[in-house]
Amino acid sequence: MKNIARCKKWRILAGMAILGMLFACTDYMLQDAGNQTTKPPKNKNEELTASAAQEWFESNYAPVVATRSAGDQERLFKPHWGEAKEWNRMRYEVVETPIYTQGMHIILDSETETHWEPGKKNNFIRNNVRLVVLRDKKTGKTRSFIMTFVGTYEYLKKTRTIGKNGYLYRQPDFSGAVLFHELNGAFINGWRYADGKIVAAISRPTEKKDSLINSSSVATRAEHQVCHDVCYPVYDSYCDYSYVQSGDMESGIIYDIVENCYPTYSGNECTEECYTYDDGLDDRDDNWNGDYPPGGAGNPTEKEPSPQMKVLNKIYGDNSSLTGKEKQLLADALAIMNNDKFWKKVYDTLDGKVKITFRIEPQIEGKSSGRYYTEDKAIAFPNDACINFGIVREELFHALQHNTYGKDAENPANKFTMEFEAHAFPDIANALSMGEFSEQGSNLYSTDPSQEFRDAVSNLMNSILENKCFDDEQYMLYEKAAELWSPSTYTGSFDSSIQPQLLYNIFKK
């Protein structure tokens, strides 16, 4: 009996030892499995590090990038890589950096504008502006754009953390809009927030009102949409050789950096807001593993052919090679162009007379945002970001010049003369549309800072406004300004034997 008891005792001890070993192995296996599924830190990327983002950006864009504001004025900006931050979420990795801008730039909502005085320093009316470099690890594609947080007036009054909002993660109390723009200033899309929750999708006014219903990132959340137009007032200042930091400093209106340089009204950034239902829970990762995550920047879906497409097809050449998305961007830009009575005359003159080949040429990236080729009547863009109203209208004007002047437009020796007319046209169109000449938004002023030239341009514009046309009297002033023109980007001299027939035809009484 003692032997049996002793045997049982050893069996119990052996069993306990085996169980201990099994528990230890199980615990080790669970720990190992846990290590495999642990998410990487939100602020440390695996592929798109800050240095990798800078290297990619500088290999695709110039160190100082030219963009355009709501009034079509050109302004310069450059990234502040020393303050770049890394973020990641599911398949996406992001690097955000503050930017330095030439002069000042601020976007407001209509209520905030009523409380803001451009010449008076304000401690809380501000934007949060960042350059974003985005990597999709699934597709391997990288892109860059500008992100702007526009808070509501009540939100701006109470918060001091607007600068903590980012591309992948928003603050739980954020109320306002986040707007995405291509680097050249073209509006992409945006989202409206209320207390940290998405309540509306923001798109271009020319897009279909139901375009977001088919989006994989919104359709599961939206039961119906109510859409209306919303415009954001935009203010800019243009100060020579000066840069103001924005981004982490929350785009404060920093008047002590540049004296006597206050923002003035540039125009409206008009959008369409479609209100949807959304749970707005930022910590959830639903749909952030999809192609078009909620709160992201991009075109959700390719749209069905629209009435605007029919207008484009009248000048769209058979040898064109744009994708469906690129062609829709071109149609949208053309629709905006045709909303202006003077630019519509450019299109109307081409309609039925010219078929243009449209294509993407990556090799001109960093050299040109758009290029017209006389040899095959083609317009090329370096990428789809450049297919926007400002660039499309400029290249279509060159196409019209070619159609009007023929071999004179094909002769490289006449490029200076052609470019002066192309730069003067938008200034004249804007002046006649607005009833005044805007020096800050002038294409001609931006190319030559000499006072003698600017005085000549001012005399020309005042004469056009007084007579409400371009005729022989205005041509004399036009010729004087052209002979004084000394841009850094073009060489040559003005040829007075080539009369500006387009100005005569489009701006006649």
Side-chain angles (χ1 to χ4, degrees):
M1 292 295 293
K2 289 182 179 180
N3 290 335
I4 294 174
R6 188 179 298 111
C7 183
K8 286 183 178 180
K9 180 179 179 180
W10 282 109
R11 285 176 181 175
I12 292 171
L13 291 173
M16 290 176 65
I18 292 171
L19 285 174
M21 292 174 62
L22 288 173
F23 278 125
C25 290
T26 302
D27 184 60
Y28 175 79
M29 292 171 65
L30 288 173
Q31 288 182 16
D32 186 59
N35 289 336
Q36 292 179 358
T37 59
T38 299
K39 292 183 179 180
K42 291 181 179 180
N43 60 348
K44 188 172 180 60
N45 293 345
E46 297 176 346
E47 297 180 12
L48 189 70
T49 61
S51 59
Q54 182 177 0
E55 182 180 356
W56 176 88
F57 186 89
E58 293 179 346
S59 66
N60 286 275
Y61 299 97
V64 178
V65 182
T67 188
R68 290 187 179 275
S69 189
D72 204 35
Q73 299 95 328
E74 184 178 274
R75 57 188 178 85
L76 304 177
F77 76 86
K78 56 184 178 182
H80 185 12
W81 293 108
E83 295 293 331
K85 304 294 183 185
E86 300 176 11
W87 299 98
N88 61 77
R89 190 167 189 173
M90 301 295 285
R91 62 191 269 189
Y92 297 99
E93 291 188 343
V94 159
V95 171
E96 299 177 10
T97 170
I99 60 175
Y100 287 106
T101 61
Q102 185 181 35
M104 303 172 199
H105 175 75
I106 187 167
I107 304 176
L108 309 171
D109 63 19
S110 55
E111 181 187 6
T112 307
E113 184 189 28
T114 63
H115 297 276
W116 186 57
E117 297 180 34
K120 184 178 180 180
K121 185 175 181 179
N122 193 299
N123 291 325
F124 67 87
I125 294 181
R126 60 198 181 279
N127 295 149
N128 175 31
V129 186
R130 304 262 177 88
L131 170 78
V132 177
V133 180
L134 171 68
R135 168 77 55 83
D136 184 338
K137 293 193 293 183
K138 180 178 179 181
T139 65
K141 292 183 178 181
T142 303
R143 61 179 297 200
S144 187
F145 46 86
I146 297 295
M147 172 180 66
T148 305
F149 285 89
V150 182
T152 63
Y153 182 68
E154 291 301 319
Y155 171 77
L156 292 175
K157 281 200 305 181
K158 68 182 181 180
T159 189
R160 290 296 179 269
T161 60
I162 188 173
K164 293 185 178 181
N165 289 291
Y167 180 72
L168 297 177
Y169 301 99
R170 318 282 201 247
Q171 290 293 293
D173 65 338
F174 175 65
S175 293
V178 53
L179 306 176
F180 301 103
H181 292 81
E182 300 289 2
L183 299 189
N184 58 25
F187 178 65
I188 304 173
N189 70 343
W191 304 90
R192 176 161 292 282
Y193 280 75
D195 296 323
K197 298 179 181 180
I198 295 176
V199 294
I202 305 173
S203 60
R204 299 187 188 100
T206 53
E207 293 180 350
K208 292 181 180 178
K209 293 185 183 298
D210 62 350
S211 62
L212 290 173
I213 290 178
N214 295 322
S215 165
S216 63
S217 65
V218 177
T220 57
R221 300 164 178 245
E223 297 178 7
H224 69 276
Q225 293 178 323
V226 178
C227 302
H228 61 271
D229 293 335
V230 175
C231 291
Y232 295 86
V234 179
Y235 285 77
D236 292 282
S237 65
Y238 296 86
C239 308
D240 294 335
Y241 313 113
S242 62
Y243 287 88
V244 176
Q245 179 175 301
S246 62
D248 283 354
M249 291 179 67
E250 301 180 357
S251 290
I253 307 305
I254 312 170
Y255 290 122
D256 54 349
I257 290 181
V258 184
E259 294 182 358
N260 301 319
C261 184
Y262 305 134
T264 58
Y265 174 72
S266 295
N268 282 338
E269 178 85 79
C270 289
T271 66
E272 178 182 273
E273 292 192 3
C274 294
Y275 281 76
T276 64
Y277 292 100
D278 188 272
D279 56 28
L281 296 178
D282 189 61
D283 289 336
R284 290 177 57 182
D285 280 328
D286 54 329
N287 288 322
W288 270 102
N289 209 30
D291 292 335
Y292 301 103
N299 255 348
T301 57
E302 292 184 6
K303 299 178 287 185
E304 294 297 321
S306 62
Q308 290 90 348
M309 194 65 71
K310 295 179 181 179
V311 175
L312 170 60
N313 287 338
K314 293 181 179 180
I315 61 171
Y316 195 78
D318 294 337
N319 293 325
S320 299
S321 55
L322 300 184
T323 65
K325 173 189 173 184
E326 291 161 353
K327 190 176 179 182
Q328 185 63 58
L329 289 172
L330 183 59
D332 288 347
L334 192 59
I336 298 174
M337 175 175 164
N338 283 338
N339 283 334
D340 182 286
K341 67 176 182 179
F342 295 115
W343 284 104
K344 188 177 187 302
K345 289 181 180 180
V346 173
Y347 167 82
D348 289 342
T349 309
L350 290 169
D351 181 13
K353 297 180 181 178
V354 179
K355 286 284 188 177
I356 300 170
T357 298
F358 294 93
R359 58 178 178 250
I360 299 293
E361 288 188 357
Q363 62 267 30
I364 67 173
E365 180 83 49
K367 302 174 183 177
S368 176
S369 55
R371 185 173 292 177
Y372 177 76
Y373 295 94
T374 57
E375 53 267 29
D376 59 348
K377 296 181 179 179
I379 293 177
F381 308 97
N383 51 56
D384 62 4
C386 291
I387 307 178
N388 61 69
F389 163 60
I391 296 170
V392 168
R393 71 177 190 179
E394 180 180 344
E395 300 311 320
L396 285 178
F397 188 82
H398 286 310
L400 182 55
Q401 284 181 315
H402 185 208
N403 185 67
T404 303
Y405 304 120
K407 291 189 178 299
D408 282 338
E410 296 173 7
N411 187 347
N414 297 327
K415 183 174 178 61
F416 187 94
T417 304
M418 295 296 152
E419 287 294 343
F420 186 77
E421 183 186 36
H423 280 72
F425 184 90
D427 282 5
I428 298 172
N430 287 342
L432 289 173
S433 296
M434 298 171 60
E436 63 178 358
F437 173 53
S438 173
E439 297 180 357
Q440 290 183 337
S442 168
N443 274 11
L444 289 172
Y445 269 32
S446 67
T447 59
D448 187 343
S450 68
Q451 192 59 50
E452 187 179 10
F453 171 72
R454 292 188 172 196
D455 290 341
V457 171
S458 181
N459 291 336
L460 168 63
M461 295 301 165
N462 289 333
S463 178
I464 291 172
L465 286 169
E466 182 180 350
N467 294 274
K468 295 182 173 56
C469 70
F470 183 95
D471 212 330
D472 290 342
E473 178 184 346
Q474 288 70 47
Y475 174 76
M476 301 302 295
L477 298 170
Y478 173 88
E479 182 178 305
K480 180 178 179 180
E483 290 174 347
L484 292 170
W485 194 38
S486 181
S488 60
T489 48
Y490 306 106
T491 59
S493 58
F494 179 73
D495 186 349
S496 60
S497 68
I498 303 175
Q499 295 288 294
Q501 292 301 322
L502 295 182
L503 303 187
Y504 277 109
N505 294 339
I506 293 177
F507 300 119
K508 63 185 177 181
K509 282 188 176 179

